[in-house]
Amino acid sequence: MKKIFLLGFLLVFASCLHAQVLTIKDQKSDTPIEMATLISANPHTFATTNLQGQVDIAAFKNSTTIEIRMLGYKTISTSYSQLVANGLQLSMEPIGINIDAIIVSATRWNQVSSGVPSSIISISAKSIALQNPQTAADLLGSSGKVFIQKSQQGGGSPMIRGFATNRLLYTIDGVRMNTAIFRSGNIQNVISLDPFATENTEVFFGPGSVIYGSDAIGGVMSFQTLTPKFSMTDQPYITGKALTRYSSANNEKTGHFDVNVGWKKWAMLSSISTNNYGDLKMGSNGPDEYLQPYYVQRQDSVDCIVTNNNQRVQTPTSYSQINMMQKIRFSPNAKWDFQYGFHYSETSEYSRYDRHIRYKNGLPRYGEWNYGPQKWMMNNLSITNSANNKVYDQLSIRLAQQHFEESRISRDLNKPDRETRIEKVEAYSVNFDFNKNLGKKNTLFYGVEGIWNDVTSIGIDENIETGIVQDGAARYPQSTWASFGGYVTDQQKLSDKFMVQAGIRYSQYNLDATFDTTFYPFPYTTANLNNGAITGSLGFVFRPSDKWVVTANVATAFRAPNVDDMGKVFDSEPGSVIVPNPSLEAEYAYNADLGISKVFGDFLKLYATGYYTILQNAMVRRDFQLNGLDSIMYDGEMSKVQAIQNAAVANVYGVQFGIEMKLPSGFALESDFNYQKGEEELDDGTTSPSRHAAPQFGVSRLTYHTGKLDLQFYANYCGEVEYDNLPEEEKAKTEIYAKDVSGNPYSPAWYTLNFKAMYQINNTFTVSAGLENISDRRYRPYSSGIVAPGRNFIMALRANF
């Protein structure tokens, strides 16, 4: 009898050990739901389901309110004890549309997006799989809410709410990617990220300086890469995917493989992607100015102008890329989680296409103009702890080291002198973030941050005929840039319908630079900036009913001068040269926005956000003097001297509008439209349209889902920018614009019709295909140097295991 009792006790005890694994399934199909999110305020904890719909809920023990969410399903609010009472089995009901949004982490902590005063969107891994974006820039553009500019195929510079480049912030796994050489001109650092290794992407619209510090003026793009998953049983949890893809417009050949091996306390994840892109082919229906009649090719030590046999093929635009990621995760118990991540990305050398179509005296100006390999490496250690002490309920520590390398290689047509400029940045950062419940309705978020950048810049001049190599003028001074800051945000739930949030941050930034006067007679050899900045925010969320959400937010943001602002020497356009200015100060933005979202029944959702931003003390390019001279010789040409200066006021306003509609028989309709208008002050006191305020743009989608099949027919569209509405600095770039009836440059309106399909053949294989730009439109997105792809057929095969 004692043996039977002991056996029974052991069986009950063993079942209790496994009783913390919750399984979530679709109520109709009884299939597991992956990436369903569970969140609890007390205790503060967060988790997601794996491929089998399973999640360990040990950390949720004693929680009285657990909210379980998944896009397309009805939100469930339950308790830990209720889940245990139901045998740790849960079914979620598919629904059309509701007001509750998914969990977001762009505020550094997982929160319901409809409970955050700012506007935030999320791009899921399923959406990425259907759209098949070639780069992370294309991934952002597929949202229909972010405009993408490209100077070359290996490019992608997001524009958000009239701001771009170093007035936007990028984070990867919570780590700041912006460096001290992020420039005001278009950048392509985002292509270093791998869409296949991205678990979720979020875009935070508007100022985010309270949380993220400098640069977060127009918005924050937050990329969460794949997270290693633990095993829920005694057996190792092994899962992964392999994918191959082909695209016709640039003869793309891409391969990807990732694998996750998880035990109960340890997990590892490895990922690798390779991409090979050929020269990009434009469409057949559009402005003839976009065609490329000839290109430069080096033959027998001579730059030859070669007739382009197919003027729709943009030569040279091909390049290749490799991405690798390795993660290790350890969780000794439900309270502690340690994650180490290694990321590496490298491109081949690739041409800056808009320079190759720039002409001088009727001939191409350059014999070569290439970016050298773009390299990015990051080591990141993150530590999270859940506790219930006097200081915090949750603690997050992030320690990161990053290495960036980029270069520019240029040579004038039929000239032997090749200029190579190499920049390297070593970036170090540390973040401590905390949250603490001060009662049932009050939560405090606070943290500190330290950032340090070491910039090395090298100039090399080579005579390709004689082989003589010598030192050349560096693009930047040898510099260090540092920033230290702390923030506090308080979130108070005044009632079940009204929540208010307020935050403040102080940042201190420092820049030390040493100038080389060998090549340019600067009147100084060193420069130092050491200043502080205070930013704040105040917002509320009002929910009159479960069908309405009203949000409002006022906030300030700042951008501290970096090495690119203060110290670079660069030709921004023919006949002009930018020189250093060691007297810069931070620029400030003041923003207000109002958002409204309304659900009608369970079939229709309308939402809109309006905003207005004023940028003061803006750092802009203006005429300057160097040693009393307004022009100097640069690159063999007398050039007007200019510098970045605090010399302007800019304002941007706009509206983002969207609609979601559930139709019968598995159909749905979605549409997003963005209108923004910006103006900035010129040197003579007049105003010009803002360069980074994109024309109105949007996307409309008709989708169909049934069982294992997803279909999507959609249209992308963008408005015209007439010559009179072109920014002044864009009017000189005649090589990238079409000509109006008066012969002036302008950016024509355009649209594309597209179709995507994805079918799950079985539990292992999924095939996806698409036809982009069905009507083969020839168009160039506003401010872009390269013409967009023409008709493009995409085919991808994915294997899950």
Side-chain angles (χ1 to χ4, degrees), residues 247-259:
S247 298
S248 63
N250 56 359
N251 197 29
E252 177 208 13
K253 295 177 283 290
T254 284
H256 170 79
F257 177 80
D258 67 68
V259 60

Side-chain angles (χ1 to χ4, degrees), residues 91-140:
S91 296
M92 298 190 72
E93 177 187 357
I95 61 170
I97 296 171
N98 66 4
I99 202 71
D100 287 320
I102 52 182
I103 304 298
V104 297
S105 58
T107 55
R108 288 203 181 275
W109 294 105
N110 295 301
Q111 296 173 272
V112 182
S113 64
S114 60
V116 178
S118 300
S119 176
I120 302 176
I121 65 164
S122 180
I123 306 171
S124 66
K126 183 177 180 180
S127 175
I128 296 172
L130 177 62
Q131 290 298 325
N132 269 311
Q134 291 189 350
T135 68
D138 298 330
L139 183 161
L140 291 166

Side-chain angles (χ1 to χ4, degrees), residues 289 723 726 731 734-735 737-746:
E289 295 91 338
Y723 172 75
L726 270 181
K731 290 180 178 179
T734 56
E735 67 273 10
Y737 287 105
K739 293 181 180 179
D740 62 18
V741 293
S742 300
N744 293 319
Y746 84 111

Side-chain angles (χ1 to χ4, degrees), residues 706-748:
T706 180
K708 299 179 179 181
L709 177 65
D710 285 280
L711 303 176
Q712 187 175 110
F713 178 77
Y714 63 99
N716 290 315
Y717 38 85
C718 182
E720 176 183 306
V721 182
E722 299 177 348
Y723 172 75
D724 290 339
N725 292 326
L726 270 181
E728 288 301 314
E729 59 183 300
E730 291 294 297
K731 290 180 178 179
K733 302 174 184 177
T734 56
E735 67 273 10
I736 68 173
Y737 287 105
K739 293 181 180 179
D740 62 18
V741 293
S742 300
N744 293 319
Y746 84 111
S747 180

